[in-house]
Amino acid sequence: MKKEFIITIFTENHIGLLNRVTIVFTRRKVNIESLTVSESALPGISKFTIVINANEEQVVKIVGQIEKQIDVLKAFFHTNEEMIYQEIALYKVRTEELYKSDAIEKMARNAGARILEITKEYTVIEKTGHKEETQALFEELNQFKVMQFIRSGRVAITRDPIERLSEFLKERDAILNQVD
Amino acid sequence: MKQININNYKFLSSPPFGELEGTKTIDMSTKKVAGSEAVILSLLEEGVDTIFGYPGGAIMPVYDSLYDYGQKVKHVLTRHEQGAVHAAEGYAKVTGRAGVCFATSGPGATNLITGIADAMIDSIPLVCITGQVTSPLLGTDAFQESDVVGISMPVTKWNYQVTTPEEIPEAIAQAFYIAQSGRPGPVLLDITKDAQFGELDFEYKKCNKIRSYVPETPVDPFKVEEAAKLIDKSEKPMVLVGQGVIISNAEEEFKTFVEKAGLPVAWTLLGLSAFPTEHRLNVGMLGMHGNYGPNKLTNEADLIIAVGMRFDDRVTGKVSEYATNAKIIHIEIDPSEINKIVKADVPVLGDAKKVLSMLINNIKENYHESWLEEFRRCDVVEVEKVIEKDIQPTKEGLTMGEVVSMASEKSNHEAILVTDVGQQQMVASRYFKFKHSKSNVTSGGLGTMGYALPASMGAQLGAPDRTVVAVIGDGGFQMTIQELGTIWQNKLPVKIIILNNNFLGMVRQWQQLFFEKRYSFTELQNPDFITIAKGFGIDGHKVEKREGLEEGIQKMFAHEGPYLLEVVVEKEDNVFPMVPAGASVSDVILEP
Ligand SMILES: Cc1ncc(C[n+]2csc(CCOP(=O)(O)OP(=O)(O)O)c2C)c(N)n1
């Protein structure tokens, strides 16, 4: 059965690696729902967060193929329940609408969103949350014609107390010293 | 300051064929080296003795540096870059070391791609070096610019673009380490022309570690014990030997292992030659055109012990009906292969040599004579229905089987066999016999027609003292026929056998069996191969009748240099046994 999985990949920060990673999905005709790349807690190491819809067997194989790439340190996969995750969304609405009634302000307040910038023409609202939540706010605001809308890729963090990457690197060193 | 005397660099194998030019001593205290020269020096540091390649604009600085090092390294100018890369594969297969090839940017680089893809799927170590346009021009659609790093990404184990001279030694060191360690594979380095022209202080350090890369996992002794328990209690075990045993030089350990427990051994196409053909435990070839016994009995076995093989679909047939009564032990270096196709009950990760040495000490001595007897009973059936007709035919036309089996015999089963793709490949793999490992060179995973002729050149250069026999179809031969020029220029004494059925035989066989004999574009009007060979300065002879076969083969082996033997075989023979596509291995058929 297909469901959402979050794949987390730690890699060296090398040119072209994103391409190598996405090829693994493309080859298996698996669509990437969301992708975020940023520097991890350890300098020089990038962290990919990728969301896909797939069945577990597919994910296991994909993660295996990703880990096999030379510049990939480690790849994990989790179900949504196993992680704390967020996406961020930005909405641009007409400032005029904001002044007409207090509807927009209420919507933002109820959704726990905040207003980032107000100009004469437009107002930018920001909300973090799960996709359904940012989507719900979009639909509400869209009664007043949202001028622009953007949602980020997912960022996610495990429920472990710390990112085990540095420990992982130590273990990796031990393995590398053991085999040769 | 450091002095490098290039006379310190020695050939690893015996001297290559032909005369060499160029000597050079560089004094590192007075001279920086150019990036292009660093390329050559780095290759020498890695012990490279042979390079296959083809020059062009973007790699000219490297070729210019190479001019000075003729006594240290042999460069083989092929007639097409595809020839260079397949030759490098052939070289790697017989030596176990990375094959090296050079090509220029753009079309030179793209011509390598088929061979790189071939090496990727067959786990062959290659270091391919391509020239690239000068770095300020990258991405501008400059003359002969192609994004070879992008193009080759899905078919390389690793690739990298070098844009400064200082990166060259380290990039080459990493390239060799990655290509040759763990599960081997092809790597590509794309070096811009300005990086080749620029200068650096040359210093070389071999690479033996990359933190993001674990070439092999340490063997888990508990898994070994678990595997040993299954082996000890199995009544109908069957070992599947793949190329992993050859790559890890584990042939001796493998033999000890199977002999100790009395295990029947079946081999994959790439595992061929890892285990001697005439060994009493050798029960034959797996897969679509493999032997009857190992296919039929896969579903009777209670234990499959897969060593260094990946359950290719040509081996498994219909996966859901594969090894239905067996537990599976999968000994494998690449974690992503575990459970990829067939679920392993006991996966044992690690290098085959290490795993097998541990396993030998954990298993009990055993024998399985009545089980082996079942394989022999299958052999009797196969001999009667297929093999006899193949190698001792009574019909008028010559068969591929009789040619191959005679060639094997006349070479005392000592030769290196190089095959192309198609019927001739399957027949040769079935009937050629082997006493030594690393003696079978073929394109397995990709099935690349045109592979054999150039691969035979690399095999000959990698094993100059051995007889190399290339068995090629009339179709595949014409895909890389131009390499006859390379063979002649480099005086490579390969023995080429063309099995000419005037058809793209394997495709025709499928058309006959599955497309109602609609022979859509598979018949060939062939040139006079002997005249062509002679035009390239290569002696040859055409055999059309059984009476002339033995003499023809003897003449070929007696001939000093390269030789082309064309044998006209029956036009519409089929290869059997056959596991029809999509069928279960136990539904293997012996005749149409
Ligand atoms: C480059 C390439 N193109 C097409 C094929 C498909 N193909 C597989 S076998 C075969 C026929 C080979 O004919 P030939 O070389 O005459 O050998 P035979 O089967 O007759 O021994 C073809 C066309 C292939 N394997 N490789």
Side-chain angles (χ1 to χ4, degrees):
Chain A
M1 204 201 47
K2 279 194 179 188
K3 61 175 178 178
E4 250 181 34
F5 285 95
I6 304 170
I7 298 174
T8 311
I9 312 165
F10 293 97
T11 73
E12 299 291 353
N13 183 9
H14 287 170
I15 290 174
L17 194 55
L18 172 62
N19 205 352
R20 275 206 177 263
V21 168
T22 54
I23 283 171
V24 174
F25 295 90
T26 316
R27 223 183 128 184
R28 288 163 186 78
K29 264 195 151 331
V30 171
N31 196 24
I32 292 176
E33 305 293 331
S34 124
L35 169 94
T36 310
V37 190
S38 62
E39 195 171 64
S40 74
L42 288 187
I45 294 181
S46 303
K47 184 172 175 175
F48 288 59
T49 308
I50 296 176
V51 181
I52 60 168
N53 254 310
N55 60 46
E56 177 143 356
E57 197 191 326
Q58 265 179 318
V59 182
V60 171
K61 287 181 188 172
I62 285 170
V63 167
Q65 294 296 330
I66 291 172
E67 257 191 6
K68 194 165 147 175
Q69 304 302 322
I70 302 295
D71 294 323
V72 169
L73 283 150
K74 184 79 193 154
F76 304 94
F77 70 93
H78 295 279
T79 58
N80 285 348
E81 297 73 45
E82 290 164 339
M83 294 196 96
I84 299 161
Y85 62 91
Q86 290 286 52
E87 283 145 23
I88 183 163
L90 302 178
Y91 314 78
K92 192 185 273 180
V93 293
R94 258 176 239 293
T95 303
E96 209 183 303
E97 299 289 350
L98 197 69
Y99 287 126
K100 269 194 198 152
S101 76
D102 62 354
I104 290 182
E105 202 199 318
K106 264 199 186 135
M107 284 173 194
R109 195 186 297 275
N110 290 341
R114 59 185 187 128
I115 289 171
L116 290 186
E117 184 169 305
I118 304 180
T119 70
K120 251 204 239 141
E121 289 87 34
Y122 64 81
T123 296
V124 176
I125 300 170
E126 173 209 286
K127 160 149 184 72
T128 53
H130 291 185
K131 185 176 171 189
E132 310 78 67
E133 296 161 349
T134 54
Q135 185 66 25
L137 180 59
F138 170 76
E139 272 147 30
E140 278 190 72
L141 290 174
N142 210 23
Q143 297 166 35
F144 303 96
K145 289 271 171 292
V146 171
M147 298 160 71
Q148 282 182 38
F149 169 60
I150 179 82
R151 179 165 39 228
S152 74
R154 185 176 294 184
V155 291
I157 219 160
T158 60
R159 294 182 190 275
D160 286 337
I162 46 167
E163 190 153 277
R164 301 196 178 274
L165 188 60
S166 40
E167 278 149 68
F168 164 75
L169 287 177
K170 264 186 231 137
E171 276 167 35
R172 172 60 60 90
D173 264 350
I175 294 180
L176 290 179
N177 291 332
Q178 203 176 328
V179 184
D180 47 22
Chain B
M1 272 283 238
K2 193 166 114 185
Q3 290 254 337
I4 293 188
N5 182 352
I6 64 152
N7 292 317
N8 294 336
Y9 295 106
K10 287 201 299 281
F11 293 115
L12 290 180
S13 57
S14 32
F17 306 88
E19 286 301 301
L20 300 166
E21 293 165 26
T23 46
K24 189 176 182 187
T25 313
I26 43 168
D27 177 356
M28 298 298 290
S29 58
T30 56
K31 185 176 167 281
K32 290 189 160 209
V33 304
S36 58
E37 191 162 357
V39 171
I40 309 298
L41 291 173
S42 302
L43 295 178
L44 293 173
E45 291 277 0
E46 291 291 340
V48 172
D49 56 14
T50 311
I51 299 164
F52 303 91
Y54 209 101
I59 198 165
M60 279 184 68
V62 168
Y63 270 86
D64 188 61
S65 295
L66 183 62
Y67 197 58
D68 291 327
Y69 289 88
Q71 290 215 327
K72 301 295 154 202
V73 59
K74 180 175 176 65
H75 177 275
V76 177
L77 173 67
T78 56
R79 295 301 181 266
H80 187 294
E81 288 84 357
Q82 187 185 355
V85 63
H86 290 325
E89 290 184 85
Y91 177 93
K93 278 255 185 174
V94 302
T95 62
R97 300 197 306 270
V100 178
C101 56
F102 286 173
T104 193
S105 65
T110 55
N111 276 347
L112 292 179
I113 296 297
T114 301
I116 295 176
D118 190 272
M120 184 69 175
I121 199 164
D122 279 354
S123 311
I124 300 171
L126 292 185
V127 174
C128 304
I129 295 178
T130 52
Q132 181 55 284
V133 302
T134 191
S135 59
L137 290 182
L138 284 170
T140 65
D141 302 322
F143 178 63
Q144 293 194 329
E145 185 198 3
S146 71
D147 174 15
V148 62
V149 169
I151 293 170
S152 65
M153 207 169 264
V155 292
T156 48
K157 185 172 175 187
W158 183 71
N159 63 8
Y160 185 71
Q161 187 171 65
V162 176
T163 51
T164 61
E166 296 77 21
E167 294 173 274
I168 288 172
E170 196 190 346
I172 292 182
Q174 292 197 346
F176 275 87
Y177 174 60
I178 293 168
Q180 298 180 133
S181 60
R183 178 178 183 172
V187 305
L188 181 140
L189 288 178
D190 192 35
I191 308 179
T192 59
K193 207 168 177 180
D194 47 336
Q196 299 171 41
F197 274 132
E199 292 196 324
L200 71 152
D201 291 318
F202 182 75
E203 205 184 326
Y204 199 79
K205 228 178 114 230
K206 276 204 175 194
C207 173
N208 59 12
K209 201 195 286 189
I210 293 172
R211 85 171 163 181
S212 59
Y213 168 55
V214 186
E216 60 181 87
T217 321
V219 184
D220 179 350
F222 295 110
K223 290 284 173 207
V224 173
E225 272 173 38
E226 241 183 284
K229 272 186 205 140
L230 283 183
I231 294 168
D232 285 344
K233 76 172 197 232
S234 162
E235 282 171 6
K236 294 181 169 186
M238 186 168 150
V239 177
L240 316 184
V241 58
Q243 192 186 206
V245 168
I246 300 173
I247 294 169
S248 87
N249 297 310
E251 294 89 348
E252 275 312 307
E253 290 79 359
F254 180 78
K255 191 156 160 269
T256 312
F257 163 66
V258 297
E259 283 175 353
K260 185 170 177 187
L263 307 166
V265 176
W267 37 274
T268 69
L269 182 60
L270 294 189
L272 177 52
S273 88
F275 192 61
T277 316
E278 300 289 14
H279 196 288
R280 61 181 291 275
L281 293 171
N282 192 330
V283 297
M285 174 169 159
L286 292 163
M288 185 171 269
H289 293 292
N291 290 107
Y292 186 56
N295 277 314
K296 189 88 192 157
L297 297 176
T298 295
N299 280 342
E300 309 242 326
D302 63 7
L303 180 66
I304 299 280
I305 307 148
V307 192
M309 58 83 74
R310 60 183 175 84
F311 294 103
D312 180 76
D313 52 278
R314 283 292 188 269
V315 162
T316 61
K318 190 175 183 183
V319 180
S320 60
E321 288 170 29
Y322 177 77
T324 40
N325 293 309
K327 289 241 191 299
I328 311 267
I329 298 171
H330 195 177
I331 300 169
E332 171 59 52
I333 199 163
D334 176 357
S336 73
E337 287 298 342
I338 302 290
N339 299 338
K340 188 182 85 177
I341 307 288
V342 171
K343 188 159 170 6
D345 297 281
V346 181
V348 190
L349 275 174
D351 177 69
K353 196 181 183 84
K354 291 173 192 163
V355 175
L356 290 170
S357 343
M358 289 166 75
L359 205 46
I360 292 167
N361 295 324
N362 278 266
I363 53 168
K364 296 203 184 80
E365 273 184 44
N366 209 340
Y367 51 87
H368 299 279
E369 290 311 313
S370 60
W371 172 230
L372 272 166
E373 206 40 56
E374 290 191 44
F375 286 93
R376 291 191 190 118
R377 274 200 291 277
C378 288
D379 287 347
V380 173
V381 177
E382 187 177 338
V383 167
E384 191 205 324
K385 297 237 157 153
V386 181
I387 297 176
E388 218 162 66
K389 290 181 201 152
D390 272 358
I391 63 177
Q392 290 167 328
T394 48
K395 62 180 173 190
E396 200 191 329
L398 284 156
T399 66
M400 291 185 174
E402 65 183 312
V403 180
V404 165
S405 97
M406 190 178 289
S408 181
E409 196 187 306
K410 297 291 175 201
S411 59
N412 201 18
H413 313 305
E414 299 273 354
I416 290 175
L417 171 70
V418 185
T419 52
D420 209 72
V421 172
Q423 291 185 313
Q424 103 291 137
Q425 175 188 36
M426 293 296 110
V427 172
S429 307
R430 286 169 51 79
Y431 296 123
F432 215 82
K433 294 183 177 169
F434 297 90
K435 294 178 184 166
H436 312 288
S437 184
K438 292 194 170 63
S439 299
N440 176 49
V441 179
T442 197
S443 167
L446 207 64
T448 309
M449 281 173 73
Y451 173 88
L453 192 64
S456 74
M457 311 188 305
Q460 187 73 78
L461 280 158
D465 299 330
R466 294 189 64 188
T467 302
V468 174
V469 182
V471 176
I472 315 180
D474 46 319
F477 183 65
Q478 293 178 74
M479 280 206 173
T480 46
I481 194 168
Q482 73 284 352
E483 299 306 332
L484 288 173
T486 314
I487 289 173
W488 174 240
Q489 185 170 5
N490 291 276
K491 305 187 169 50
L492 303 175
V494 292
K495 310 301 175 200
I496 306 157
I497 303 178
I498 299 180
L499 295 178
N500 184 359
N501 52 12
N502 272 280
F503 263 115
L504 298 173
M506 186 57 94
V507 179
R508 187 211 53 76
Q509 172 169 348
W510 281 57
Q511 288 172 333
Q512 179 184 344
L513 298 177
F514 311 115
F515 292 87
E516 295 152 359
K517 269 203 173 188
R518 289 156 54 86
Y519 291 166
S520 178
F521 300 101
T522 43
E523 192 160 9
L524 292 167
Q525 185 178 0
N526 284 323
D528 178 347
F529 292 120
I530 305 303
T531 302
I532 288 183
K534 291 204 165 136
F536 278 101
I538 295 174
D539 225 339
H541 177 66
K542 180 169 178 173
V543 172
E544 291 177 88
K545 293 224 159 61
R546 188 157 294 124
E547 300 86 79
L549 180 63
E550 184 166 357
E551 198 198 329
I553 289 178
Q554 270 164 340
K555 226 164 106 185
M556 173 183 77
F557 283 126
H559 190 84
E560 282 243 351
Y563 195 85
L564 183 126
L565 183 71
E566 176 191 351
V567 184
V568 178
V569 295
E570 194 74 70
K571 284 187 81 167
E572 298 190 31
D573 269 356
N574 290 329
V575 187
F576 281 103
M578 180 173 194
V579 179
S584 162
V585 279
S586 49
D587 294 334
V588 53
I589 53 174
L590 289 159
E591 52 208 348

